[in-house]
Amino acid sequence: MAKIALGCEPVVGSLTPSKKREYRLTNRLQEGKRPLYAVVFNFIDSRYFNVFATVGGNRVTVYQCLDEGVIAVLQSYVDEDVRKYSYQKDESFYTVSWACNIDGAPFVVAGGINGIMRVINASNEEIHKSFVGHGDSINEIRTQPLKPSLVVSASKDESVRLWNVHTGICILIFAGAGGHRNEVLSVDFHPSDIYRIASCGMDNTVKIWSMKEFWTYVEKSFTWTDCPSKFPTKYVQFPVFIASVHSNYVDCNRWLGDFMLSKSVDNEIVLWEPKMKEQSPGEGTADILQKYPVPECDIWFIKFSCDFNYNAAAIGNREGKIYVWELQSSPPVLIARLSHAQSKSPVRQTAMSFDGSTILSCCEDGSIWRWDSIPPPS
């Protein structure tokens, strides 16, 4: 277990907005009465940078951000899977991610309470595949930016799974002796090291895993022609690093280069550096570098998002406000605080556009809010 390094106090950002970039509310949509748990822009395909997806209840919806604040509905999918047994629940999606087939077709991958991942081909509006494997609900799905046919899922069943959306194969399962001891709430691929992922959850830890010695199985998953269930799925039982940076549930983690951004229910995002000991896997120190305060952010399942180049992060709180932090400045700079008199419901997730000029939020009351940056006066 990584120890917190002593001696250097983390730099805490000021909550006075710098007004470096100002945003104005340009649209509000009411999708329904059910909570919306996830919203995400498509960063996989430059043709669709202004397209985003939301999930809530048994519905996945695809939208496009147009000029003048306009939001157009492109597609909507309803999971009408009939329940055969009384213990089965109606689907309630918690997470969505963009991926693509090896031929470049855009995929929307969603998961939720039933533990089934739905892979939707957005180019022909059909279900491409359904992945059954997790033994409980799926809390987050993320896509490998360097190989966008690979997705990873974090589940209540205490495991993380790596999937090939092209072939439908579950390649690796990160669980076991060194795995999470409670629900896994968030997972993320390293932006440049293709072998590395990080996960976090209700056991208060962040774990970093390496796929390096299992990479032949990843390559094999692309050429496998037999039944997916016959694939020799491997268990990865031991992470290369475990950190207890937080003293409560950790519900969102994202890589910032080789550093880690993570948040718990303590009204802040924390930036820290994992320092591994080469000789003893799992051990090392976590150097806490900076803290980005987020008032009234003390309930779990509130996730932050970043623009494509990780210049900024946007995070909502339980009162419907959004805080936009500049990530790569020290001390941290609050770019903007976004609030509206009618936005009172908890913001479950935000989505920043490719260049950060548009910020979306999805809320507990089923609403979507769009904020656009105001061009500086010329």
Side-chain angles (χ1 to χ4, degrees):
M1 183 77 83
K3 313 274 192 306
I4 303 289
L6 298 174
C8 299
E9 284 300 306
V11 186
V12 180
S14 162
L15 280 166
T16 307
S18 67
K19 305 216 167 131
K20 273 194 168 181
R21 196 172 196 177
E22 297 202 52
Y23 290 83
R24 66 186 179 95
L25 182 69
T26 54
N27 205 334
R28 175 186 184 268
L29 289 179
Q30 188 67 39
E31 197 176 281
K33 293 270 192 290
R34 289 182 174 177
L36 294 177
Y37 285 112
V39 57
V40 61
F41 273 106
N42 185 344
F43 285 175
I44 301 298
D45 191 326
S46 58
R47 295 173 295 174
Y48 309 121
F49 277 169
N50 63 349
V51 174
F52 69 93
T54 64
V55 289
N58 63 346
R59 187 179 297 271
V60 181
T61 313
V62 177
Y63 298 90
Q64 188 171 20
C65 279
L66 302 173
D67 293 343
E68 310 295 323
V70 174
I71 298 174
V73 180
L74 299 183
Q75 297 170 5
S76 186
Y77 307 91
V78 177
D79 186 310
E80 291 171 333
D81 203 359
V82 179
R83 308 291 156 234
K84 292 179 187 164
Y85 307 104
S86 59
Y87 64 80
Q88 289 179 308
K89 302 182 175 107
D90 283 342
E91 186 58 273
S92 177
F93 289 117
Y94 296 150
T95 180
V96 62
S97 187
W98 289 92
C100 74
N101 208 350
I102 54 167
D103 64 3
F107 283 169
V108 182
V109 189
I113 200 165
N114 281 320
I116 300 166
M117 285 168 65
R118 303 288 188 191
V119 183
I120 300 159
N121 186 333
S123 63
N124 62 13
E125 304 192 29
E126 289 177 356
I127 295 272
H128 170 71
K129 284 189 171 22
S130 294
F131 298 160
V132 180
H134 279 298
D136 215 322
S137 52
I138 296 167
N139 290 317
E140 188 157 70
I141 298 167
R142 298 282 287 171
T143 302
Q144 165 55 263
L146 307 169
K147 262 192 192 296
S149 298
L150 299 175
V151 299
V152 70
S153 53
S155 171
K156 186 177 180 178
D157 69 7
E158 304 183 2
S159 80
V160 170
R161 288 175 179 244
L162 178 73
W163 308 83
N164 185 319
V165 294
H166 170 60
T167 53
I169 284 167
C170 178
I171 309 164
L172 300 173
I173 302 172
F174 303 85
H180 285 284
R181 290 287 169 261
N182 206 330
E183 287 197 42
V184 192
L185 297 177
S186 186
V187 63
D188 195 34
F189 285 102
H190 191 285
S192 57
D193 181 346
I194 202 161
Y195 304 124
R196 196 153 285 203
I197 63 170
S199 60
C200 63
M202 284 189 178
D203 60 3
N204 306 357
T205 68
V206 180
K207 295 179 190 274
I208 297 174
W209 308 81
S210 175
M211 299 183 266
K212 197 163 191 179
E213 59 191 274
F214 301 94
W215 198 250
T216 52
Y217 293 93
V218 176
E219 289 171 339
K220 191 186 285 186
S221 76
F222 284 91
T223 54
W224 188 260
T225 52
D226 205 345
C227 178
S229 61
K230 292 182 178 170
F231 186 84
T233 301
K234 287 286 167 205
Y235 270 87
V236 183
Q237 294 212 48
F238 295 99
V240 294
F241 187 86
I242 306 169
S244 283
V245 172
H246 304 276
S247 55
N248 208 320
Y249 297 167
V250 191
D251 60 0
C252 191
N253 66 246
R254 299 287 181 261
W255 292 95
L256 181 63
D258 290 329
F259 295 169
M260 186 67 65
L261 290 160
S262 59
K263 72 161 280 285
S264 179
V265 291
D266 306 317
N267 304 309
E268 62 186 12
I269 298 171
V270 179
L271 176 67
W272 51 279
E273 180 182 9
K275 292 190 165 174
M276 303 182 194
K277 281 189 179 164
E278 292 301 319
Q279 292 77 25
S280 46
E283 292 190 14
T285 56
D287 247 349
I288 298 182
L289 305 173
Q290 301 201 143
K291 292 185 174 183
Y292 308 82
V294 189
E296 318 303 336
C297 193
D298 50 6
I299 58 173
W300 69 282
F301 217 89
I302 288 184
K303 304 196 179 220
F304 57 87
S305 68
C306 306
D307 63 303
F308 184 81
N309 290 311
Y310 288 84
N311 292 317
I315 180 163
N317 69 5
R318 66 173 158 83
E319 293 188 336
K321 296 183 175 66
I322 297 169
Y323 290 79
V324 187
W325 282 100
E326 191 170 277
L327 289 176
Q328 301 186 34
S329 57
S330 187
V333 172
L334 183 65
I335 297 169
R337 183 176 64 234
L338 313 180
S339 63
H340 188 273
Q342 289 171 314
S343 176
K344 292 271 186 274
S345 182
V347 175
R348 288 298 177 184
Q349 192 168 24
T350 63
M352 292 194 85
S353 63
F354 187 86
D355 62 357
S357 61
T358 298
I359 296 171
L360 303 171
S361 64
C362 64
C363 302
E364 186 77 19
D365 64 1
S367 62
I368 301 166
W369 299 72
R370 174 177 173 179
W371 301 79
D372 285 297
S373 63
I374 303 167
S378 49

